[in-house]
Amino acid sequence: MQLKNLAPLNRNILLAAIIIVMAAALRFFHYTGFSLSNDELSALVRVQFGSFSELVRKGFYVDGHPGGIQIFLFYWVKVFGDSESSIRFPFVVMGVMAVWFSWLSARRWFGETSALFIASGIAFLQFPILYSQIARPYGAGLFFSMLTIYFWTRLVLEAETGNKRKYFDAIGYTAANALMMYNHYFSFLVALIIGITGLFLLKRENRKHYLLAGILSALIFLPHIQITLNHLKIGGVGLWLGKPDYNWLPEHLAYVFNNSYWVVITVILISLVGFIGTKSNRRIYLLRVMLLLWFLMPIAIGFFYSRWVNPVLQHSVVIFSFPFLLFFLFSFPAWKTDTFRAILLGILGVVMLASTLIERKYYKTQHFGEFRDVAARIADADRENGAENITRAISVNNPFYIEYYLKPLGANPKFMQYDNRGGEDLSELKNILETSTTPMFMYAWTKSVPYETDALILHYYPFKLKHVDYNGLSAFTLYTRDSTQEIIKPKHVFEVMNGFETSDYWQVSENLVDSVSPFNGKKCILLKSENEYGPTFQMAAGDIPLKKGNMINVKLLLKTVAENTRAVLVVSLEQWEQTPYLWAASPVSNFAEQNRWSAVFLSTPVKELKSPRDILKVYLWNPGHEEIAIDDMRISVD
């Protein structure tokens, strides 16, 4: 049977079925092809408890998220196991169901045509696909959001006298609301906003059912209130998440549309085509305003809470209200003929799919930190070189995260360090390196570590045998002391070293030069109590040449008489006679030992370069006015 011979309703259902099948294919394909994320492994750690009370007390009472997803995983894992395919499967299914319920709801709001465009957006954009492939509250909450709006629509917008389904709809709305509340606090917020809005639109026929549904969902959440109060004391994730900038909203809009000009232009043009040719009544205008508010209010609340209280705003936490943006954009269904409608729908689908699969390279991109391949490389390094020949350290939130992948490989390596947050951790790593006697050293990280870590290890193990960077989200490196092996040679765009035998590139006062106790050569710099600053290296950025994205590395040999030195190594980037817009400092105390020559390190990325005429400065700041000897300062730019 040809599509054109189908009745309009059947044709729309067929097109919707095609979209949903493609959504399922996009989500099930490769859904175990990438490592579990940091958040997923964190959830798995918290299902290892022996009882439900222990799960509550240790699993999510102190976590900062509602317990719904954690409770679900606790029982799911007991029945189906904790493999990648097992824990992700129900979330993939819910991601597909979100597409289906978005179509079911949208057709009731704006008709069959708009529903197809809205479902296409949720089916084909990278944002909803990504969060439907991980075992976290985001894809699940997207489904719960669409489930909530489906039953809300039937209760509020379609209230009919004598409707026999209103009891079923009230029960459905109660359940969907409760799921939103237990899923995530931002989905709770969305449910609350939708629920309050409904109070102003209620008709007499369903008022009792709607209010009762709201009260019941609140009662269902009542056992969680004490836990929520504790979560409010904990605050947000401000330890690692920064405050959002004032351009966060446009950046988010770009992100949800694949950061693609093609997608943005296509969506805007299709929306405009519909807008120009349609005539809307007052009710439709009201619905559009309501949709915009539903989309923007969670973002606004999250933004100001993050600015004024504690950072919580991320792209993922506002996925629950994202569909309402699509509802608004595709609420203008003035596409005159079925043929024209099919052409526009085809264009939208092709552009979004091409952007997700080709432009964004969705299935080839490292979206989250890597654990699986890091574990495989650790096991391979031990097998190829002998485990006894390698000293190992790793930075990971919990040892379970890497052990989850090491155990199936039959590997049980010993790590000398599991965390590196700088400060004492850097000092500990320095001590591990100093006492290490193995010919090789392995370092891996699955969360951010101080930039100086690599330079510190290279001081003791000067050569790299293997290095894998997972898009800046994780890394594995195998170092060696043996220069005869096949090594990875560093690629410096600029490098300079001064043993202070001459004053090239450095502003050095003659009264600071000392020839009594240099580390190398005949001279060093000796700062005394009256000296707050050491010699300064400075050069125009364009002469290096320095670019955005470069890494500046500094290594300095230093000896201080102070037991707890306050000195810091500083890098700054500034415009002429203005306050530096890049200022990075490395405390000498992280590396130095009293009355002993020690290597001190500073590494910092160049996140912004305003002009090639800007000046790069490197110097030692001595605010404690201590006696400090300095030698062999090396600066490199990678």
Side-chain angles (χ1 to χ4, degrees):
M1 184 185 298
Q2 294 183 355
L3 182 62
K4 65 181 181 180
N5 293 328
L6 293 175
L9 182 60
N10 291 338
R11 189 185 307 128
N12 288 328
I13 291 174
L14 178 58
L15 288 171
I18 292 171
I19 291 169
I20 293 166
V21 168
M22 293 179 68
L26 289 167
R27 285 153 177 77
F28 276 104
F29 178 73
H30 203 64
Y31 86 100
T32 60
F34 58 98
S35 168
L36 291 179
S37 66
N38 202 76
D39 282 355
E40 289 173 292
L41 288 164
S42 173
L44 277 184
V45 167
R46 291 177 284 114
V47 300
Q48 309 300 314
F49 304 114
S51 66
F52 181 79
S53 61
E54 193 177 12
L55 169 70
V56 175
R57 189 172 64 256
K58 299 179 181 179
F60 58 85
Y61 181 77
V62 295
D63 175 55
H65 293 86
I69 295 298
Q70 203 59 46
I71 293 170
F72 170 76
L73 285 174
F74 180 71
Y75 290 106
W76 180 271
V77 166
K78 288 184 181 299
V79 177
F80 299 104
D82 66 352
S83 68
E84 294 166 325
S85 59
S86 170
I87 68 167
R88 282 180 173 165
F89 177 81
F91 294 87
V92 175
V93 171
M94 285 188 280
V96 177
M97 296 288 285
V99 179
W100 181 30
F101 272 90
S102 70
W103 174 73
L104 286 176
S105 299
R107 66 202 289 243
R108 295 177 177 275
W109 283 58
F110 303 115
E112 300 285 347
T113 298
S114 288
L116 292 171
F117 283 83
I118 292 164
S120 295
I122 298 176
F124 303 143
L125 286 171
Q126 176 179 274
F127 181 41
I129 294 174
L130 176 62
Y131 287 103
S132 296
Q133 286 193 311
I134 62 172
R136 297 304 295 138
Y138 312 114
L142 181 63
F143 165 55
F144 299 152
S145 178
M146 293 297 92
L147 190 64
T148 298
I149 202 63
Y150 172 77
F151 288 111
W152 183 93
T153 299
R154 293 190 59 86
L155 275 176
V156 176
L157 300 185
E158 298 181 347
E160 299 175 5
T161 303
N163 181 4
K164 296 180 180 179
R165 274 199 51 165
K166 56 188 175 185
Y167 294 101
F168 173 79
D169 294 334
I171 294 171
Y173 182 61
T174 300
N177 244 341
L179 288 169
M180 290 277 276
M181 296 162 80
Y182 272 99
N183 178 72
H184 193 283
Y185 286 123
F186 266 87
S187 61
F188 189 138
L189 176 62
V190 171
L192 182 63
I193 292 170
I194 293 172
I196 292 173
T197 306
L199 295 175
F200 296 96
L201 301 175
L202 272 178
K203 295 180 181 179
R204 180 181 302 175
E205 290 80 4
N206 281 4
R207 184 176 300 165
K208 179 178 67 174
H209 303 83
Y210 185 78
L211 294 175
L212 184 60
I215 292 170
L216 285 175
S217 58
L219 290 174
I220 292 172
F221 190 75
L222 192 60
H224 200 280
I225 291 296
Q226 185 179 355
I227 299 170
T228 298
L229 292 175
N230 187 62
H231 291 168
L232 291 174
K233 294 178 184 178
I234 295 172
V237 288
L239 289 175
W240 59 268
L241 182 66
K243 294 181 179 180
D245 294 327
Y246 286 99
N247 64 342
W248 194 90
L249 179 58
E251 287 182 352
H252 177 66
L253 291 172
Y255 175 77
V256 300
F257 291 118
N258 288 11
N259 287 305
S260 169
Y261 289 112
W262 291 108
V263 173
V264 171
I265 291 170
T266 302
V267 169
I268 291 175
L269 287 177
I270 290 176
S271 183
L272 284 176
V273 168
F275 174 74
I276 292 171
T278 190
K279 292 182 180 180
S280 300
N281 56 38
R282 183 176 178 275
R283 180 177 180 274
I284 296 297
Y285 278 124
L286 177 63
L287 291 178
R288 287 172 183 151
V289 171
M290 186 173 68
L291 287 167
L292 273 182
L293 288 175
W294 286 358
F295 170 69
L296 292 172
M297 283 183 68
I299 294 175
I301 292 170
F303 178 83
F304 289 110
Y305 183 88
S306 297
R307 296 286 303 186
W308 298 340
V309 183
N310 210 329
V312 294
L313 187 60
Q314 307 171 71
H315 295 304
S316 57
V317 301
V318 289
I319 192 172
F320 318 116
S321 58
F322 163 65
F324 305 131
L325 175 63
L326 297 180
F327 271 60
F328 171 79
L329 290 172
F330 297 120
S331 65
F332 309 100
W335 301 297
K336 301 297 184 181
T337 64
D338 288 344
T339 301
F340 189 38
R341 185 269 311 276
I343 291 172
L344 289 178
L345 185 63
I347 291 172
L348 180 70
V350 168
V351 170
M352 286 183 172
L353 279 172
S355 173
T356 297
L357 301 179
I358 301 173
E359 183 184 18
R360 306 311 304 171
K361 299 178 181 177
Y362 175 75
Y363 295 110
K364 297 180 180 179
T365 299
Q366 188 81 36
H367 299 286
F368 303 103
E370 181 65 35
F371 293 88
R372 180 199 291 164
D373 197 60
V374 168
R377 291 183 182 276
I378 292 170
D380 288 346
D382 282 0
R383 185 178 62 255
E384 294 168 3
N385 302 286
E388 70 281 2
N389 294 319
I390 304 175
T391 301
R392 301 164 210 82
I394 192 169
S395 183
V396 63
N397 280 322
N398 189 305
F400 172 88
Y401 295 9
I402 197 68
E403 291 167 0
Y404 175 86
Y405 283 109
L406 284 170
K407 286 182 180 179
L409 299 173
N412 187 28
K414 178 182 178 182
F415 296 98
M416 303 301 294
Q417 186 184 54
Y418 277 100
D419 201 2
N420 184 0
R421 302 186 184 190
E424 292 182 0
D425 292 332
L426 270 178
S427 299
E428 180 188 20
L429 179 59
K430 173 179 176 287
N431 293 333
I432 292 169
L433 289 160
E434 282 188 339
T435 57
S436 174
T437 59
T438 58
M440 298 178 189
F441 190 88
M442 186 232 77
Y443 195 83
W445 56 267
T446 60
K447 65 171 187 173
S448 297
V449 296
Y451 295 118
E452 294 79 18
T453 301
D454 183 60
L456 173 61
I457 299 172
L458 284 170
H459 181 67
Y460 297 93
Y461 288 84
F463 309 104
K464 292 182 182 180
L465 283 173
K466 293 182 180 179
H467 175 71
V468 182
D469 180 277
Y470 300 92
N471 199 29
L473 300 169
S474 300
F476 165 91
T477 310
L478 185 62
Y479 302 83
T480 182
R481 293 188 173 115
D482 186 0
S483 63
T484 63
Q485 300 190 58
E486 187 176 346
I487 60 175
I488 301 171
K489 296 181 179 180
K491 297 178 181 179
H492 302 311
V493 297
F494 174 83
E495 185 175 25
V496 63
M497 196 277 282
N498 196 346
F500 303 107
E501 310 297 317
T502 65
S503 60
D504 294 346
Y505 303 117
W506 270 261
Q507 297 175 356
V508 180
S509 174
E510 285 297 324
N511 63 357
L512 297 180
V513 178
D514 178 69
S515 58
V516 177
S517 56
F519 180 82
N520 274 326
K522 298 179 179 180
K523 298 178 182 179
C524 68
I525 298 297
L526 182 62
L527 303 183
K528 299 180 180 179
S529 59
E530 64 269 23
N531 303 125
E532 186 172 347
Y533 296 96
T536 301
F537 166 89
Q538 64 178 45
M539 182 179 284
D543 293 337
I544 292 177
L546 194 65
K547 296 179 180 179
K548 180 180 178 181
N550 283 148
M551 180 71 72
I552 301 170
N553 301 293
V554 183
K555 177 182 176 181
L556 172 68
L557 291 168
L558 175 151
K559 183 168 68 172
T560 176
V561 299
E563 183 176 358
N564 296 303
T565 178
R566 293 170 54 196
V568 292
L569 187 56
V570 176
V571 166
S572 71
L573 194 57
E574 58 192 68
Q575 296 190 307
W576 181 252
E577 296 184 346
Q578 294 187 21
T579 302
Y581 59 88
L582 166 65
W583 194 90
S586 176
V588 169
S589 59
N590 289 342
F591 309 97
E593 298 179 30
Q594 186 181 19
N595 294 319
R596 177 185 172 189
W597 282 101
S598 304
V600 178
F601 305 91
L602 188 157
S603 297
T604 185
V606 179
K607 297 181 179 179
E608 178 185 18
L609 184 64
K610 294 183 177 181
S611 167
R613 295 189 297 273
D614 295 347
I615 303 299
L616 173 68
K617 292 183 179 180
V618 182
Y619 57 92
L620 185 79
W621 180 27
N622 181 25
H625 294 270
E626 307 155 14
E627 185 174 304
I628 302 175
I630 302 171
D631 207 352
D632 290 0
M633 179 182 280
R634 183 183 300 273
I635 301 169
S636 65
V637 177
D638 299 335

